[in-house]
Amino acid sequence: MCDVLIFGGTTEGRKIAEYISRHHISGYVCVATEYGESLLPQNEYVRVSHERLKEEEMCGLMEKESPRVVIDATHPYAAEVTRNIKSACHKAGVPCVRLLRESAGAEDGTAVEHAVYVDSIEAAVTYLEHTKGGILVTTGSKEIGKFTRLADYRERVYARVLSLPKVTAACAEMGFEGKHLICMQGPFSRELNEAMIRQLDCRYLVTKESGSTGGFLEKCEAAKACGCELVIVGRPLQEKGLSLLECKRYLAGEFGLSGKTEVALVGIGMGDENTMTVGGREACRRAEIIIGAGRMAKAAAKPGQDVYCEYDARRIREYLTEHPEYERAAVVLSGDVGFYSGCRRLLEELKEFQVSLYCGISSLVYFMSRIRKPWEDVKIASAHGRAYNLIQGIRSNPRFFAILGTGDGVSRLAETLMEYHMEEVTIYLGEMLSYPEEKILKGKPSDFLGYQGNPLSVIYIENPEANEITVTHGIRDAAFVRGKVPMTKEEVRSISLSKLRLTKDAVCYDVGAGTGSVSIEMALMAREGRVYAVEKKPEAAALLEENKKVFGADNLTVISGLAPEALEELEAPTHAFIGGSSGNMKVILQLLLKKNPGIRMVINCIALETVAEAVDCMKELPVTDIDIVSVSISKSKTVGRYHMMMGENPITIISCTGKEVEEG
């Protein structure tokens, strides 16, 4: 008993046998030779026979094995066998699926440029009777005897046949021997075909249109490269049936198979095939389906491969799960799989699949080589689809690289650089890297004002005057532009920021920001986050803007207005510092907790009334981790030969965290 009865003898038949074996479907495979039997898997799921069967014997086998489906995977030229299989299936009442070889070359005008099509081997011989020059015959030993009609066949014809003793002896009896008899097992690469044609000085190559798995395309390419004319014996039948992939899809539906797809995550470089690694190119070639963003997937796919244009990791997982007929899939990613790609998310989603990674050439590596710059000490960032403080990166790093991702990205960056008085940095811009439209430009920020380029762009910036920013808080008070606006002093600021527990991507509010000393330090610490400095006094807001430029805090936004109204339209904060509330302490805290029930907050109080108000709020509002610190700072002052300690106003620092109360 078996589930699938396969009449094989072709590469496609072997692949279907391997497919059902991997999925533990019982199968019985019939082939015509012992050699064909040796190529097939034989295990508890697949049995193989090399006996040639007539129609009656096929009927008997079907009655004995009771298969659910019969697959005819015989050679395209085995017309009589195909008719017998169809007839036997009809009599046995078993569904018959004709597995066709994929046609190769016939649709590609360049591949068969030097070709003559004939209907039969006899017609090919007739055509060659009126020609001169060597002939490489690759149609097999079965009909090689027909070439003896050529008067000078012993000198002209080179027969390439299987390396079987019976075949060799039969060919020798007909006069094909010595260098005119080539006994080898295919398939043959283009290079090997080309070497044979040149070595034997053949002007003609006779072949059947045997499909891509039969090496037809490789013969076409070799013949074209050598200026050798192809004599193609066309298909005897215009058959209807399923491709290899369609047959797998049919079996997957028939037997309810689940996915066992091998998935290759392939970095395809910049887009040009030459920027792919050999391993990545081979992984794509072996795949039955190419998956990825439209531009990349279509560029990587070859004829005969399915394409699914999608980059969302969850949808890719769902698609592969729903299509178990794909045994090998390649998900293509631009550049390198480990450089700002979707690989991390795909690895999380495809845990149930067998996943392999193939590195590619990243935009960083490619671009730096094009402008002849080393990159081992370059600060690397990406502003493509994500927030990143480019100004801080450029200000604090002498060599800076970033992926932009928008057509006006370099123009907007150039404007911002000039706004922050960084006009002398040098910008290198790369667009459409590796494509024929590739463009590489160099200049100062002023050269890129108003520039509209391609979204596929990267920048490299050199800033000789870069200064590394302190990684902790502690900017000197004298470094700020102050005027007559109150400012949180250096020592108090350090304690307050410590209590705030900032993260690198924090979203911060500074309520009652004054000169912005706390805002600036928050912005420099939370480099990948955002800071909103809220200040009601116009002169203080103006000083905030000045300090923003002095420190290059491009992730700081100044909000002119009074809290809580000025806070309502802002994004939800993760952290908040309240240096002044103008009597609105409770409503400000209530709004902050509404926006983010788990927010971290620090309140600085000078007046005792403010301390009392804040403490009452701590009792009433849903907060925890409450901490109250009274700070008295004295700083030295020189009086003649002596130093006297002068006391600053005492400050009460109150910190807390929202409770994140769950509904219900």
mmCIF file with all atom_site columns, all heavy atoms in Angstrom, residues 643-664:
data_model
loop_
_atom_site.group_PDB
_atom_site.id
_atom_site.type_symbol
_atom_site.label_atom_id
_atom_site.label_alt_id
_atom_site.label_comp_id
_atom_site.label_asym_id
_atom_site.label_entity_id
_atom_site.label_seq_id
_atom_site.pdbx_PDB_ins_code
_atom_site.Cartn_x
_atom_site.Cartn_y
_atom_site.Cartn_z
_atom_site.occupancy
_atom_site.B_iso_or_equiv
_atom_site.pdbx_formal_charge
_atom_site.auth_seq_id
_atom_site.auth_comp_id
_atom_site.auth_asym_id
_atom_site.auth_atom_id
_atom_site.pdbx_PDB_model_num
ATOM 1   N N   . HIS A 1 643 ? 39.094  82.003 52.015 1.00 0.00 ? 643 HIS A N   1
ATOM 2   C CA  . HIS A 1 643 ? 37.929  81.471 51.297 1.00 0.00 ? 643 HIS A CA  1
ATOM 3   C C   . HIS A 1 643 ? 36.795  81.273 52.284 1.00 0.00 ? 643 HIS A C   1
ATOM 4   O O   . HIS A 1 643 ? 36.974  80.597 53.309 1.00 0.00 ? 643 HIS A O   1
ATOM 5   C CB  . HIS A 1 643 ? 38.256  80.116 50.635 1.00 0.00 ? 643 HIS A CB  1
ATOM 6   C CG  . HIS A 1 643 ? 39.209  80.227 49.501 1.00 0.00 ? 643 HIS A CG  1
ATOM 7   N ND1 . HIS A 1 643 ? 40.576  80.315 49.691 1.00 0.00 ? 643 HIS A ND1 1
ATOM 8   C CD2 . HIS A 1 643 ? 39.006  80.293 48.157 1.00 0.00 ? 643 HIS A CD2 1
ATOM 9   C CE1 . HIS A 1 643 ? 41.171  80.415 48.521 1.00 0.00 ? 643 HIS A CE1 1
ATOM 10  N NE2 . HIS A 1 643 ? 40.240  80.391 47.558 1.00 0.00 ? 643 HIS A NE2 1
ATOM 11  N N   . MET A 1 644 ? 35.671  81.861 51.993 1.00 0.00 ? 644 MET A N   1
ATOM 12  C CA  . MET A 1 644 ? 34.500  81.734 52.855 1.00 0.00 ? 644 MET A CA  1
ATOM 13  C C   . MET A 1 644 ? 33.430  80.926 52.135 1.00 0.00 ? 644 MET A C   1
ATOM 14  O O   . MET A 1 644 ? 33.237  81.049 50.926 1.00 0.00 ? 644 MET A O   1
ATOM 15  C CB  . MET A 1 644 ? 33.937  83.117 53.220 1.00 0.00 ? 644 MET A CB  1
ATOM 16  C CG  . MET A 1 644 ? 34.889  83.970 54.039 1.00 0.00 ? 644 MET A CG  1
ATOM 17  S SD  . MET A 1 644 ? 34.149  85.568 54.460 1.00 0.00 ? 644 MET A SD  1
ATOM 18  C CE  . MET A 1 644 ? 32.750  85.036 55.441 1.00 0.00 ? 644 MET A CE  1
ATOM 19  N N   . MET A 1 645 ? 32.749  80.060 52.877 1.00 0.00 ? 645 MET A N   1
ATOM 20  C CA  . MET A 1 645 ? 31.653  79.271 52.311 1.00 0.00 ? 645 MET A CA  1
ATOM 21  C C   . MET A 1 645 ? 30.368  80.079 52.386 1.00 0.00 ? 645 MET A C   1
ATOM 22  O O   . MET A 1 645 ? 29.934  80.509 53.460 1.00 0.00 ? 645 MET A O   1
ATOM 23  C CB  . MET A 1 645 ? 31.498  77.954 53.069 1.00 0.00 ? 645 MET A CB  1
ATOM 24  C CG  . MET A 1 645 ? 32.733  77.062 53.026 1.00 0.00 ? 645 MET A CG  1
ATOM 25  S SD  . MET A 1 645 ? 33.273  76.667 51.352 1.00 0.00 ? 645 MET A SD  1
ATOM 26  C CE  . MET A 1 645 ? 31.884  75.696 50.772 1.00 0.00 ? 645 MET A CE  1
ATOM 27  N N   . MET A 1 646 ? 29.753  80.287 51.234 1.00 0.00 ? 646 MET A N   1
ATOM 28  C CA  . MET A 1 646 ? 28.519  81.072 51.137 1.00 0.00 ? 646 MET A CA  1
ATOM 29  C C   . MET A 1 646 ? 27.368  80.130 50.802 1.00 0.00 ? 646 MET A C   1
ATOM 30  O O   . MET A 1 646 ? 27.417  79.371 49.837 1.00 0.00 ? 646 MET A O   1
ATOM 31  C CB  . MET A 1 646 ? 28.652  82.141 50.054 1.00 0.00 ? 646 MET A CB  1
ATOM 32  C CG  . MET A 1 646 ? 29.869  83.046 50.236 1.00 0.00 ? 646 MET A CG  1
ATOM 33  S SD  . MET A 1 646 ? 29.765  84.074 51.730 1.00 0.00 ? 646 MET A SD  1
ATOM 34  C CE  . MET A 1 646 ? 28.411  85.161 51.270 1.00 0.00 ? 646 MET A CE  1
ATOM 35  N N   . GLY A 1 647 ? 26.328  80.135 51.604 1.00 0.00 ? 647 GLY A N   1
ATOM 36  C CA  . GLY A 1 647 ? 25.203  79.219 51.419 1.00 0.00 ? 647 GLY A CA  1
ATOM 37  C C   . GLY A 1 647 ? 24.277  79.631 50.284 1.00 0.00 ? 647 GLY A C   1
ATOM 38  O O   . GLY A 1 647 ? 23.979  80.812 50.102 1.00 0.00 ? 647 GLY A O   1
ATOM 39  N N   . GLU A 1 648 ? 23.842  78.652 49.499 1.00 0.00 ? 648 GLU A N   1
ATOM 40  C CA  . GLU A 1 648 ? 22.819  78.866 48.475 1.00 0.00 ? 648 GLU A CA  1
ATOM 41  C C   . GLU A 1 648 ? 21.450  78.619 49.107 1.00 0.00 ? 648 GLU A C   1
ATOM 42  O O   . GLU A 1 648 ? 21.343  78.081 50.218 1.00 0.00 ? 648 GLU A O   1
ATOM 43  C CB  . GLU A 1 648 ? 23.034  77.887 47.311 1.00 0.00 ? 648 GLU A CB  1
ATOM 44  C CG  . GLU A 1 648 ? 24.397  77.973 46.659 1.00 0.00 ? 648 GLU A CG  1
ATOM 45  C CD  . GLU A 1 648 ? 24.491  79.103 45.659 1.00 0.00 ? 648 GLU A CD  1
ATOM 46  O OE1 . GLU A 1 648 ? 23.458  79.759 45.405 1.00 0.00 ? 648 GLU A OE1 1
ATOM 47  O OE2 . GLU A 1 648 ? 25.594  79.361 45.146 1.00 0.00 ? 648 GLU A OE2 1
ATOM 48  N N   . ASN A 1 649 ? 20.420  78.969 48.402 1.00 0.00 ? 649 ASN A N   1
ATOM 49  C CA  . ASN A 1 649 ? 19.078  78.700 48.910 1.00 0.00 ? 649 ASN A CA  1
ATOM 50  C C   . ASN A 1 649 ? 18.885  77.195 49.051 1.00 0.00 ? 649 ASN A C   1
ATOM 51  O O   . ASN A 1 649 ? 19.208  76.437 48.128 1.00 0.00 ? 649 ASN A O   1
ATOM 52  C CB  . ASN A 1 649 ? 18.007  79.248 47.958 1.00 0.00 ? 649 ASN A CB  1
ATOM 53  C CG  . ASN A 1 649 ? 17.981  80.762 47.946 1.00 0.00 ? 649 ASN A CG  1
ATOM 54  O OD1 . ASN A 1 649 ? 18.286  81.401 48.960 1.00 0.00 ? 649 ASN A OD1 1
ATOM 55  N ND2 . ASN A 1 649 ? 17.618  81.340 46.817 1.00 0.00 ? 649 ASN A ND2 1
ATOM 56  N N   . PRO A 1 650 ? 18.372  76.718 50.185 1.00 0.00 ? 650 PRO A N   1
ATOM 57  C CA  . PRO A 1 650 ? 18.117  75.280 50.327 1.00 0.00 ? 650 PRO A CA  1
ATOM 58  C C   . PRO A 1 650 ? 17.015  74.834 49.361 1.00 0.00 ? 650 PRO A C   1
ATOM 59  O O   . PRO A 1 650 ? 16.067  75.572 49.089 1.00 0.00 ? 650 PRO A O   1
ATOM 60  C CB  . PRO A 1 650 ? 17.688  75.135 51.786 1.00 0.00 ? 650 PRO A CB  1
ATOM 61  C CG  . PRO A 1 650 ? 17.195  76.483 52.187 1.00 0.00 ? 650 PRO A CG  1
ATOM 62  C CD  . PRO A 1 650 ? 17.990  77.480 51.396 1.00 0.00 ? 650 PRO A CD  1
ATOM 63  N N   . ILE A 1 651 ? 17.163  73.615 48.851 1.00 0.00 ? 651 ILE A N   1
ATOM 64  C CA  . ILE A 1 651 ? 16.232  73.065 47.860 1.00 0.00 ? 651 ILE A CA  1
ATOM 65  C C   . ILE A 1 651 ? 15.699  71.725 48.381 1.00 0.00 ? 651 ILE A C   1
ATOM 66  O O   . ILE A 1 651 ? 16.459  70.920 48.922 1.00 0.00 ? 651 ILE A O   1
ATOM 67  C CB  . ILE A 1 651 ? 16.919  72.828 46.498 1.00 0.00 ? 651 ILE A CB  1
ATOM 68  C CG1 . ILE A 1 651 ? 17.543  74.125 45.970 1.00 0.00 ? 651 ILE A CG1 1
ATOM 69  C CG2 . ILE A 1 651 ? 15.939  72.249 45.475 1.00 0.00 ? 651 ILE A CG2 1
ATOM 70  C CD1 . ILE A 1 651 ? 16.546  75.175 45.556 1.00 0.00 ? 651 ILE A CD1 1
ATOM 71  N N   . THR A 1 652 ? 14.400  71.512 48.194 1.00 0.00 ? 652 THR A N   1
ATOM 72  C CA  . THR A 1 652 ? 13.818  70.206 48.500 1.00 0.00 ? 652 THR A CA  1
ATOM 73  C C   . THR A 1 652 ? 13.539  69.488 47.181 1.00 0.00 ? 652 THR A C   1
ATOM 74  O O   . THR A 1 652 ? 12.870  70.039 46.292 1.00 0.00 ? 652 THR A O   1
ATOM 75  C CB  . THR A 1 652 ? 12.515  70.347 49.301 1.00 0.00 ? 652 THR A CB  1
ATOM 76  O OG1 . THR A 1 652 ? 12.795  71.037 50.530 1.00 0.00 ? 652 THR A OG1 1
ATOM 77  C CG2 . THR A 1 652 ? 11.926  68.968 49.607 1.00 0.00 ? 652 THR A CG2 1
ATOM 78  N N   . ILE A 1 653 ? 14.086  68.298 47.058 1.00 0.00 ? 653 ILE A N   1
ATOM 79  C CA  . ILE A 1 653 ? 13.929  67.511 45.827 1.00 0.00 ? 653 ILE A CA  1
ATOM 80  C C   . ILE A 1 653 ? 13.037  66.317 46.136 1.00 0.00 ? 653 ILE A C   1
ATOM 81  O O   . ILE A 1 653 ? 13.370  65.481 46.985 1.00 0.00 ? 653 ILE A O   1
ATOM 82  C CB  . ILE A 1 653 ? 15.291  67.034 45.296 1.00 0.00 ? 653 ILE A CB  1
ATOM 83  C CG1 . ILE A 1 653 ? 16.209  68.246 45.012 1.00 0.00 ? 653 ILE A CG1 1
ATOM 84  C CG2 . ILE A 1 653 ? 15.120  66.181 44.030 1.00 0.00 ? 653 ILE A CG2 1
ATOM 85  C CD1 . ILE A 1 653 ? 17.628  67.864 44.659 1.00 0.00 ? 653 ILE A CD1 1
ATOM 86  N N   . ILE A 1 654 ? 11.895  66.261 45.469 1.00 0.00 ? 654 ILE A N   1
ATOM 87  C CA  . ILE A 1 654 ? 10.923  65.190 45.682 1.00 0.00 ? 654 ILE A CA  1
ATOM 88  C C   . ILE A 1 654 ? 10.843  64.356 44.403 1.00 0.00 ? 654 ILE A C   1
ATOM 89  O O   . ILE A 1 654 ? 10.639  64.893 43.315 1.00 0.00 ? 654 ILE A O   1
ATOM 90  C CB  . ILE A 1 654 ? 9.532   65.753 46.036 1.00 0.00 ? 654 ILE A CB  1
ATOM 91  C CG1 . ILE A 1 654 ? 9.627   66.629 47.297 1.00 0.00 ? 654 ILE A CG1 1
ATOM 92  C CG2 . ILE A 1 654 ? 8.520   64.624 46.230 1.00 0.00 ? 654 ILE A CG2 1
ATOM 93  C CD1 . ILE A 1 654 ? 8.341   67.348 47.630 1.00 0.00 ? 654 ILE A CD1 1
ATOM 94  N N   . SER A 1 655 ? 10.999  63.072 44.532 1.00 0.00 ? 655 SER A N   1
ATOM 95  C CA  . SER A 1 655 ? 10.916  62.190 43.356 1.00 0.00 ? 655 SER A CA  1
ATOM 96  C C   . SER A 1 655 ? 9.918   61.078 43.614 1.00 0.00 ? 655 SER A C   1
ATOM 97  O O   . SER A 1 655 ? 9.706   60.649 44.747 1.00 0.00 ? 655 SER A O   1
ATOM 98  C CB  . SER A 1 655 ? 12.294  61.598 43.034 1.00 0.00 ? 655 SER A CB  1
ATOM 99  O OG  . SER A 1 655 ? 12.819  60.898 44.143 1.00 0.00 ? 655 SER A OG  1
ATOM 100 N N   . CYS A 1 656 ? 9.306   60.565 42.532 1.00 0.00 ? 656 CYS A N   1
ATOM 101 C CA  . CYS A 1 656 ? 8.314   59.491 42.651 1.00 0.00 ? 656 CYS A CA  1
ATOM 102 C C   . CYS A 1 656 ? 8.107   58.837 41.286 1.00 0.00 ? 656 CYS A C   1
ATOM 103 O O   . CYS A 1 656 ? 8.547   59.350 40.250 1.00 0.00 ? 656 CYS A O   1
ATOM 104 C CB  . CYS A 1 656 ? 6.987   60.027 43.184 1.00 0.00 ? 656 CYS A CB  1
ATOM 105 S SG  . CYS A 1 656 ? 6.200   61.227 42.078 1.00 0.00 ? 656 CYS A SG  1
ATOM 106 N N   . THR A 1 657 ? 7.378   57.720 41.298 1.00 0.00 ? 657 THR A N   1
ATOM 107 C CA  . THR A 1 657 ? 7.059   56.980 40.073 1.00 0.00 ? 657 THR A CA  1
ATOM 108 C C   . THR A 1 657 ? 5.571   56.644 40.075 1.00 0.00 ? 657 THR A C   1
ATOM 109 O O   . THR A 1 657 ? 5.021   56.274 41.123 1.00 0.00 ? 657 THR A O   1
ATOM 110 C CB  . THR A 1 657 ? 7.867   55.674 39.987 1.00 0.00 ? 657 THR A CB  1
ATOM 111 O OG1 . THR A 1 657 ? 9.252   55.981 40.098 1.00 0.00 ? 657 THR A OG1 1
ATOM 112 C CG2 . THR A 1 657 ? 7.605   54.949 38.667 1.00 0.00 ? 657 THR A CG2 1
ATOM 113 N N   . GLY A 1 658 ? 4.916   56.774 38.923 1.00 0.00 ? 658 GLY A N   1
ATOM 114 C CA  . GLY A 1 658 ? 3.505   56.412 38.826 1.00 0.00 ? 658 GLY A CA  1
ATOM 115 C C   . GLY A 1 658 ? 3.290   54.927 39.058 1.00 0.00 ? 658 GLY A C   1
ATOM 116 O O   . GLY A 1 658 ? 4.156   54.105 38.754 1.00 0.00 ? 658 GLY A O   1
ATOM 117 N N   . LYS A 1 659 ? 2.120   54.576 39.589 1.00 0.00 ? 659 LYS A N   1
ATOM 118 C CA  . LYS A 1 659 ? 1.850   53.184 39.957 1.00 0.00 ? 659 LYS A CA  1
ATOM 119 C C   . LYS A 1 659 ? 1.402   52.314 38.793 1.00 0.00 ? 659 LYS A C   1
ATOM 120 O O   . LYS A 1 659 ? 1.315   51.096 38.929 1.00 0.00 ? 659 LYS A O   1
ATOM 121 C CB  . LYS A 1 659 ? 0.773   53.139 41.050 1.00 0.00 ? 659 LYS A CB  1
ATOM 122 C CG  . LYS A 1 659 ? 1.281   53.488 42.436 1.00 0.00 ? 659 LYS A CG  1
ATOM 123 C CD  . LYS A 1 659 ? 0.180   53.269 43.468 1.00 0.00 ? 659 LYS A CD  1
ATOM 124 C CE  . LYS A 1 659 ? 0.685   53.538 44.879 1.00 0.00 ? 659 LYS A CE  1
ATOM 125 N NZ  . LYS A 1 659 ? -0.392  53.323 45.891 1.00 0.00 ? 659 LYS A NZ  1
ATOM 126 N N   . GLU A 1 660 ? 1.023   52.919 37.650 1.00 0.00 ? 660 GLU A N   1
ATOM 127 C CA  . GLU A 1 660 ? 0.513   52.161 36.501 1.00 0.00 ? 660 GLU A CA  1
ATOM 128 C C   . GLU A 1 660 ? -0.652  51.267 36.920 1.00 0.00 ? 660 GLU A C   1
ATOM 129 O O   . GLU A 1 660 ? -0.651  50.051 36.743 1.00 0.00 ? 660 GLU A O   1
ATOM 130 C CB  . GLU A 1 660 ? 1.601   51.287 35.863 1.00 0.00 ? 660 GLU A CB  1
ATOM 131 C CG  . GLU A 1 660 ? 2.699   52.094 35.219 1.00 0.00 ? 660 GLU A CG  1
ATOM 132 C CD  . GLU A 1 660 ? 3.625   51.238 34.384 1.00 0.00 ? 660 GLU A CD  1
ATOM 133 O OE1 . GLU A 1 660 ? 3.262   50.885 33.239 1.00 0.00 ? 660 GLU A OE1 1
ATOM 134 O OE2 . GLU A 1 660 ? 4.705   50.905 34.876 1.00 0.00 ? 660 GLU A OE2 1
ATOM 135 N N   . VAL A 1 661 ? -1.674  51.866 37.510 1.00 0.00 ? 661 VAL A N   1
ATOM 136 C CA  . VAL A 1 661 ? -2.833  51.122 37.987 1.00 0.00 ? 661 VAL A CA  1
ATOM 137 C C   . VAL A 1 661 ? -3.555  50.480 36.811 1.00 0.00 ? 661 VAL A C   1
ATOM 138 O O   . VAL A 1 661 ? -3.872  51.141 35.824 1.00 0.00 ? 661 VAL A O   1
ATOM 139 C CB  . VAL A 1 661 ? -3.807  52.050 38.746 1.00 0.00 ? 661 VAL A CB  1
ATOM 140 C CG1 . VAL A 1 661 ? -5.031  51.262 39.213 1.00 0.00 ? 661 VAL A CG1 1
ATOM 141 C CG2 . VAL A 1 661 ? -3.098  52.695 39.929 1.00 0.00 ? 661 VAL A CG2 1
ATOM 142 N N   . GLU A 1 662 ? -3.819  49.155 36.902 1.00 0.00 ? 662 GLU A N   1
ATOM 143 C CA  . GLU A 1 662 ? -4.515  48.445 35.829 1.00 0.00 ? 662 GLU A CA  1
ATOM 144 C C   . GLU A 1 662 ? -6.012  48.642 35.951 1.00 0.00 ? 662 GLU A C   1
ATOM 145 O O   . GLU A 1 662 ? -6.565  48.645 37.051 1.00 0.00 ? 662 GLU A O   1
ATOM 146 C CB  . GLU A 1 662 ? -4.182  46.949 35.885 1.00 0.00 ? 662 GLU A CB  1
ATOM 147 C CG  . GLU A 1 662 ? -2.720  46.638 35.629 1.00 0.00 ? 662 GLU A CG  1
ATOM 148 C CD  . GLU A 1 662 ? -2.473  45.150 35.640 1.00 0.00 ? 662 GLU A CD  1
ATOM 149 O OE1 . GLU A 1 662 ? -3.438  44.388 35.814 1.00 0.00 ? 662 GLU A OE1 1
ATOM 150 O OE2 . GLU A 1 662 ? -1.307  44.750 35.477 1.00 0.00 ? 662 GLU A OE2 1
ATOM 151 N N   . GLU A 1 663 ? -6.676  48.782 34.810 1.00 0.00 ? 663 GLU A N   1
ATOM 152 C CA  . GLU A 1 663 ? -8.126  48.926 34.806 1.00 0.00 ? 663 GLU A CA  1
ATOM 153 C C   . GLU A 1 663 ? -8.778  47.648 35.291 1.00 0.00 ? 663 GLU A C   1
ATOM 154 O O   . GLU A 1 663 ? -8.383  46.559 34.936 1.00 0.00 ? 663 GLU A O   1
ATOM 155 C CB  . GLU A 1 663 ? -8.620  49.260 33.398 1.00 0.00 ? 663 GLU A CB  1
ATOM 156 C CG  . GLU A 1 663 ? -8.157  50.636 32.916 1.00 0.00 ? 663 GLU A CG  1
ATOM 157 C CD  . GLU A 1 663 ? -8.759  50.988 31.572 1.00 0.00 ? 663 GLU A CD  1
ATOM 158 O OE1 . GLU A 1 663 ? -9.611  50.197 31.100 1.00 0.00 ? 663 GLU A OE1 1
ATOM 159 O OE2 . GLU A 1 663 ? -8.410  52.024 31.015 1.00 0.00 ? 663 GLU A OE2 1
ATOM 160 N N   . GLY A 1 664 ? -9.875  47.809 36.103 1.00 0.00 ? 664 GLY A N   1
ATOM 161 C CA  . GLY A 1 664 ? -10.595 46.639 36.596 1.00 0.00 ? 664 GLY A CA  1
ATOM 162 C C   . GLY A 1 664 ? -9.915  46.001 37.769 1.00 0.00 ? 664 GLY A C   1
ATOM 163 O O   . GLY A 1 664 ? -10.338 44.948 38.206 1.00 0.00 ? 664 GLY A O   1
#
